[in-house]
Amino acid sequence: MSLSKLLNFEKLHNIRDIGGMSIKSGSLIKSGCFFRSGQLADISQNDSDKLKNMVDTIIDFRSDKERQEKQDVIPEGVSYIHLPIVDSLTAGVTRDKESDKNIIEKLAVKPEEAKKYMCLMYRGFTEESAVSQYAEFIRLLKDAEDKSFLWHCTAGKDRAGIGSAIVEEILGCSREDVIADYMSTNEYIEPDIQFLTQFVKNKIGIQDNIVDDALRYLFGAEEEYIEAFYASVDEKYGDFDRFIHEGLKLSDADIELMKSKYTE
């Protein structure tokens, strides 16, 4: 199985290089081109210096509200592009204060509802507004010359996870590896999940395993979530190949261009 590689940073969580992942032709995604992570608001100076030397462009998938509450630290000389995948408050996806409050009030003691809610959110990534933003994201990668990119949301799980899955699919990774790479997020954000869970339990005054289950569904990765995204793609486009061509507006020549740039 071929997965992205976790990188060692002081305060930048869940940052990975998807380079080295194998594709079905036998080639590999080039290292040092594509990185994914959580938000950059709390990074250290050492993290910033490290990013400056490895990334040309940062793409922020967060909402305006999230950006206002936690502004990215952008290293000097690095370009910044804002591409909000969802523009409304979305419990479990956007991590602004208002949606966190909604999580606590509505879903913290309802694990199965939390899971269903997240599946619905992942289906939302195939809505026209989200797809158009992902299409612009892919266009930026396609048209770049000798550039390296880091894309992120808040935890680096949902919006960044689907962005990574789309890139991996276009470049020719197996579906098995794409899903496994998505699921590996749980290992890397486990400390964050534990912290958030205990924080919420203390706030609502309920020390019960049902809260652990509900918040793990909200803040963690589940195979059902990415499968919900794929199912919605199939319903709307027929299959993923048509999604790439019709939804993301890529021609066969565009796909070959991306493979020539980003695989070896």
Side-chain angles (χ1 to χ4, degrees):
M1 193 166 293
S2 177
L3 304 177
S4 57
K5 296 184 290 292
L6 185 68
L7 304 179
N8 184 27
F9 277 69
E10 292 177 348
K11 294 187 176 182
L12 179 52
H13 296 182
N14 193 21
I15 177 167
R16 292 181 260 167
D17 184 349
I18 72 171
M21 288 187 68
S22 61
I23 60 177
K24 288 174 282 190
S25 67
S27 301
L28 302 174
I29 299 176
K30 287 182 180 178
S31 295
C33 295
F34 296 147
F35 304 92
R36 53 176 293 182
S37 75
Q39 54 91 4
L40 279 64
D42 305 314
I43 63 175
S44 67
Q45 185 60 53
N46 286 339
D47 289 346
S48 181
D49 292 342
K50 198 169 181 178
L51 281 178
K52 181 178 179 179
N53 292 322
M54 66 185 244
V55 172
D56 296 301
T57 302
I58 289 168
I59 301 175
D60 187 348
F61 288 150
R62 297 177 302 162
S63 67
D64 284 327
K65 184 92 171 180
E66 290 171 287
R67 288 203 307 158
Q68 291 166 8
E69 292 182 2
K70 283 186 170 290
Q71 293 186 5
D72 276 352
V73 175
I74 306 299
E76 182 181 356
V78 176
S79 299
Y80 173 84
I81 298 171
H82 181 220
L83 283 178
I85 300 300
V86 295
D87 55 13
S88 59
L89 304 183
T90 304
V93 175
T94 61
R95 298 290 177 84
D96 49 84
K97 292 177 182 177
E98 188 173 343
S99 66
D100 277 351
K101 183 173 183 290
N102 290 337
I103 292 169
I104 294 169
E105 291 178 349
K106 296 178 181 179
L107 299 173
V109 294
K110 300 176 181 177
E112 289 307 312
E113 287 190 28
K115 184 192 288 188
K116 290 177 183 177
Y117 185 85
M118 289 301 294
C119 286
L120 183 62
M121 291 304 100
Y122 271 68
R123 294 180 68 86
F125 292 141
T126 67
E127 294 295 330
E128 184 177 351
S129 58
V131 171
S132 67
Q133 293 293 71
Y134 279 127
E136 175 62 14
F137 163 59
I138 295 300
R139 187 195 65 77
L140 290 168
L141 306 188
K142 174 180 68 71
D143 292 346
E145 294 295 339
D146 298 319
K147 300 289 185 182
S148 54
F149 294 85
L150 180 146
W151 55 86
H152 77 90
C153 47
T154 295
K157 171 178 74 84
D158 305 308
R159 292 158 289 182
I162 291 299
S164 300
I166 289 170
V167 171
E168 292 160 12
E169 290 273 1
I170 290 169
L171 295 181
C173 295
S174 70
R175 179 67 54 85
E176 179 183 12
D177 282 353
V178 173
I179 293 175
D181 192 50
Y182 166 78
M183 288 299 297
S184 70
T185 295
N186 282 331
E187 176 184 350
Y188 307 136
I189 65 171
E190 179 62 26
D192 295 331
I193 293 174
Q194 291 182 9
F195 172 81
L196 286 166
T197 299
Q198 193 56 54
F199 176 81
V200 172
K201 287 169 75 173
N202 291 341
K203 188 167 185 176
I204 65 177
I206 301 175
Q207 300 294 326
D208 192 293
N209 289 341
I210 197 170
V211 180
D212 295 72
D213 293 342
L215 294 178
R216 187 162 292 276
Y217 286 142
L218 286 168
F219 296 134
E222 295 288 332
E223 190 166 333
E224 289 170 76
Y225 301 166
I226 193 168
E227 291 287 7
F229 166 73
Y230 280 123
S232 186
V233 165
D234 290 346
E235 289 167 16
K236 292 183 177 182
Y237 295 92
D239 56 36
F240 208 89
D241 184 64
R242 286 184 62 188
F243 169 70
I244 291 172
H245 287 84
E246 297 175 13
L248 302 177
K249 311 298 184 186
L250 292 182
S251 65
D252 289 338
D254 291 332
I255 295 168
E256 290 308 310
L257 176 63
M258 287 191 68
K259 287 181 178 179
S260 70
K261 286 182 176 182
Y262 298 119
T263 66
E264 58 186 5

